[in-house]
Amino acid sequence: MVPSMTFFKFVVVFSFLSLTTATTYNVVTLGAVGDGKTDSTKSFLNAWVAACGSKTPATIYVPSGRYLLGKTIFDGQCKNDAITFRIDGTLVAPSNYNVLGNDGNWLVFEHVSGVSILGGTLDGQGTGLWACKNAGMGCPIGATTLKISNSDNILINGLTSLNSQMFHILINGCENVMVQRVKVLASGNSVNTDGIHVSYSTGVNILNTIIATGDDCISIGPGTSNLWIENITCGPGHGIR
């Protein structure tokens, strides 16, 4: 088995369209502040509503800076199937782990098609929660940094996930997902911080990726088929299983 050529063709065509014809929505223009302290959740959601409602390809641009976001759900169904998140900055979770600790997920894309996430860093700020768990205190379960759910034709390229509270990237109920040139970084004593978890999905390709975490580098859940994993650097971590 080899990675899907159909998906590669989709990536090439989609990238060309999004670079040449896309309307761009800059989150700073819409009110986001890259100081790492000001809650920019509303500005990101406003950018998503505009991009999702566009009948032509759209780009959401995140300039350099640190943007504080609470739990954020980017939901379809959109009027186009070519939305690019181009991230030059860092998205930052609240430093108080109790804010997201019982929400399950931090950033969620669900019921979307043709979304690309390019570059940038997602900082889950999970170190405090790991310390709480390692001390055996009463702690929340924690939030997965990025969940892609019930979606298709997704590209994640050049993204860094740093210090997630729980799983870094969760792909669930999806079809045709390309993950490449991703970095997943957390210390070896981080708890339940699987790098990439795939479940109930088909046609997922994970290529040329570096994963250093305290749990499984890649974990494979039930309902997964046509999964291709190639050129992965794993460690620390518990391998691929």
Side-chain angles (χ1 to χ4, degrees):
M1 184 179 68
V2 297
S4 168
M5 291 305 297
T6 299
F7 187 83
F8 285 148
K9 291 176 182 177
F10 160 78
V11 171
V12 171
V13 172
F14 169 69
S15 298
F16 176 77
L17 286 174
S18 53
L19 284 172
T20 57
T21 64
T23 301
T24 298
Y25 301 94
N26 187 319
V27 296
V28 170
T29 303
L30 293 170
V33 179
D35 62 359
K37 300 176 182 178
T38 304
D39 188 344
S40 295
T41 307
K42 184 177 179 180
S43 299
F44 275 71
L45 287 174
N46 286 343
W48 174 257
V49 169
C52 186
S54 173
K55 294 182 179 179
T56 58
T59 295
I60 296 172
Y61 176 56
V62 183
S64 60
R66 291 175 61 83
Y67 300 88
L68 176 64
L69 298 182
K71 180 169 184 176
T72 309
I73 299 176
F74 303 104
D75 196 9
Q77 308 280 338
C78 294
K79 293 183 179 179
N80 75 86
D81 57 0
I83 297 176
T84 299
F85 254 90
R86 185 160 61 91
I87 307 172
D88 286 339
T90 298
L91 312 189
V92 185
S95 57
N96 181 351
Y97 55 75
N98 288 301
V99 174
L100 294 174
N102 292 311
D103 283 344
N105 306 284
W106 173 30
L107 306 173
V108 181
F109 289 84
E110 58 185 9
H111 306 116
V112 299
S113 180
V115 167
S116 290
I117 303 170
L118 308 181
T121 298
L122 310 179
D123 185 353
Q125 299 212 92
T127 55
L129 181 59
W130 311 337
C132 178
K133 290 181 176 181
N134 286 326
M137 301 168 63
C139 315
I141 189 171
T144 289
T145 287
L146 176 63
K147 180 180 181 181
I148 312 292
S149 176
N150 298 302
S151 299
D152 60 70
N153 297 331
I154 305 298
L155 172 64
I156 304 173
N157 184 32
L159 178 72
T160 296
S161 177
L162 177 67
N163 294 338
S164 182
Q165 290 186 5
M166 273 217 6
F167 292 1
H168 286 259
I169 299 173
L170 169 60
I171 299 167
N172 182 74
C174 293
E175 183 175 355
N176 291 338
V177 179
M178 175 65 75
V179 179
Q180 61 184 9
R181 296 178 54 247
V182 164
K183 293 181 180 179
V184 171
L185 304 174
S187 73
N189 68 351
S190 57
V191 182
N192 296 327
T193 54
D194 289 23
I196 302 172
H197 180 80
V198 183
S199 59
Y200 299 103
S201 297
T202 186
V204 177
N205 301 289
I206 306 172
L207 310 175
N208 305 318
T209 287
I210 297 171
I211 303 174
T213 188
D215 212 301
D216 298 338
C217 288
I218 299 174
S219 53
I220 305 168
T224 300
S225 62
N226 297 325
L227 171 64
W228 184 269
I229 301 170
E230 181 178 344
N231 195 23
I232 306 299
T233 300
C234 172
H238 300 168
I240 299 171
R241 58 181 181 174

